């Protein structure tokens, strides 16, 4: 033949030629998500939990054994108030919750029923709450960078910030994500404070009265591998600390040395939860080891240990 038909080589698509680039992008995105959510750290802690003996588990809170028994119960009449923290009062066997958007204090039953509401006059954005000694309660106002210690009894109907001692918490690295978490540590006679972002812990000495001693001291907190710190609580039985993170959907247990012991994810399908807790902002525990949480806007949760 004087001429031959030239066959053009088939062009491979640009996608086919660069499939490995897409694979690298997918792997990079997956790693970024895992890093942001601390799945690598959670995986290490999960493996560590597998090697804990039964005796070691009994000496801790051991969050994997908890299951929700009251799941996302609405706090009646608080749909627009934003529940910000929760504290257990061993004297009255009731709970107290502080509302950040429309400042007031609510007393609740252990089943999440509202007993009374007390307006907080003079507070701007109360975010943290803890019970101290003899009916005293410490409240942290994140916007004012202020800690106040108030007295609450059965006759209290309203609280005015001008009537109680106040303590300046000082500036934070991120003024809009400042001090939000607080809990009373009776064993060490001190208040434990938490900055929201970047997460950090501080202590402030007290004898349980309305007087704080010296100034707050920053703690080494390299175990706080969470996106933000929403709330704190101390287990009265083990003295272990509960650290709540709304952004990470996570509750951590730290021992007295500040080391991670166990964790509980707050995603739907885990620990009996039907749905993910939207924004967990408060946590507390009673002397029996029952765990309570509140989430914005007005949801109440109760967890009990199953063994």
């Amino acid at each position: 033949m004087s001429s031959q038909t030239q066959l053009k080589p088939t062009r491979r698509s640009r996608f086919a030629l660069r499939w490995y680039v897409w694979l690298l992008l997918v792997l990079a995105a997956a790693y970024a998500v895992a890093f942001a959510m601390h799945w690598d750290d959670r995986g290490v802690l999960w493996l560590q939990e597998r090697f804990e003996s039964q005796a070691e588990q009994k000496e801790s809170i051991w969050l994997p054994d908890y299951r929700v028994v009251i799941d996302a119960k609405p706090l009646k009449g608080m749909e627009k108030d934003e529940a910000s923290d929760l504290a257990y009062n061993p004297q009255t066997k009731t709970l107290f919750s502080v509302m950040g958007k429309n400042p007031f204090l609510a007393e609740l039953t252990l089943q999440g029923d509202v007993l009374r509401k007390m307006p907080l006059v003079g507070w701007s954005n109360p975010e943290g709450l803890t019970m101290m000694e003899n009916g005293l309660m410490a409240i942290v106002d994140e916007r004012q960078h202020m800690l106040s210690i108030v007295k609450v009894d059965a006759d209290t109907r309203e609280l005015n910030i001008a009537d109680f001692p106040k303590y300046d918490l000082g500036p934070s690295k991120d003024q809009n994500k400042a001090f939000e978490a607080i809990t009373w540590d009776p064993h060490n006679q001190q208040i434990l404070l938490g900055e929201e972002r970047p997460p950090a812990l501080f202590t402030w000495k007290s004898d349980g009265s309305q007087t704080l001693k010296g100034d707050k001291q920053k703690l080494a907190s390299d175990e706080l591998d969470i996106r933000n710190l929403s709330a704190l609580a101390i287990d009265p039985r083990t003295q272990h600390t509960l650290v709540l993170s709304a952004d990470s959907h996570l509750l951590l247990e730290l021992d007295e040395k500040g080391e991670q012991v166990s964790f509980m994810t707050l995603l739907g399908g885990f620990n009996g939860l039907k749905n993910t807790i939207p924004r967990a902002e408060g946590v507390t525990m009673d002397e029996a080891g029952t765990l309570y949480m509140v989430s914005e806007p007005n949801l109440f949760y109760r967890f009990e240990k199953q063994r």
Side-chain angles (χ1 to χ4, degrees), residues 13-86:
S13 70
R14 184 174 297 177
F15 177 82
L17 287 172
R18 297 176 182 168
W19 63 268
Y20 55 89
V21 176
W22 287 100
L23 178 60
L24 288 174
L25 288 173
V26 170
L27 291 174
Y31 176 79
V33 171
F35 180 81
M37 297 297 291
H38 300 281
W39 288 344
D40 51 345
D41 299 306
R42 296 290 75 76
V44 171
L45 184 53
W46 183 85
L47 287 174
Q48 291 174 348
E49 286 181 344
R50 306 283 73 77
F51 292 98
E52 294 283 351
S53 67
Q54 289 294 320
E56 289 171 325
Q57 292 180 26
K58 288 181 179 179
E59 291 174 359
S60 68
I61 299 170
W62 204 249
L63 293 170
D65 286 347
Y66 277 79
R67 294 293 179 272
V68 69
V69 293
I70 299 179
D71 191 351
K73 178 179 180 177
L75 296 174
K76 191 175 181 180
M78 301 185 189
E79 295 79 6
K80 300 179 180 179
D81 297 315
E82 294 187 356
S84 296
D85 203 359
L86 195 64

Side-chain angles (χ1 to χ4, degrees), residues 63-70 264 269-273 291 302-306:
L63 293 170
D65 286 347
Y66 277 79
R67 294 293 179 272
V68 69
V69 293
I70 299 179
M264 180 169 73
F270 292 90
N271 296 83
L273 288 167
L291 185 65
R302 173 173 166 152
F303 296 81
E304 294 179 1
K305 200 167 186 177
Q306 298 302 298

Side-chain angles (χ1 to χ4, degrees), residues 214-225:
D215 199 359
K216 66 183 189 300
Q217 303 296 320
K218 188 171 185 178
L219 293 177
S221 49
D222 53 358
E223 294 286 304
L224 296 179
D225 50 345

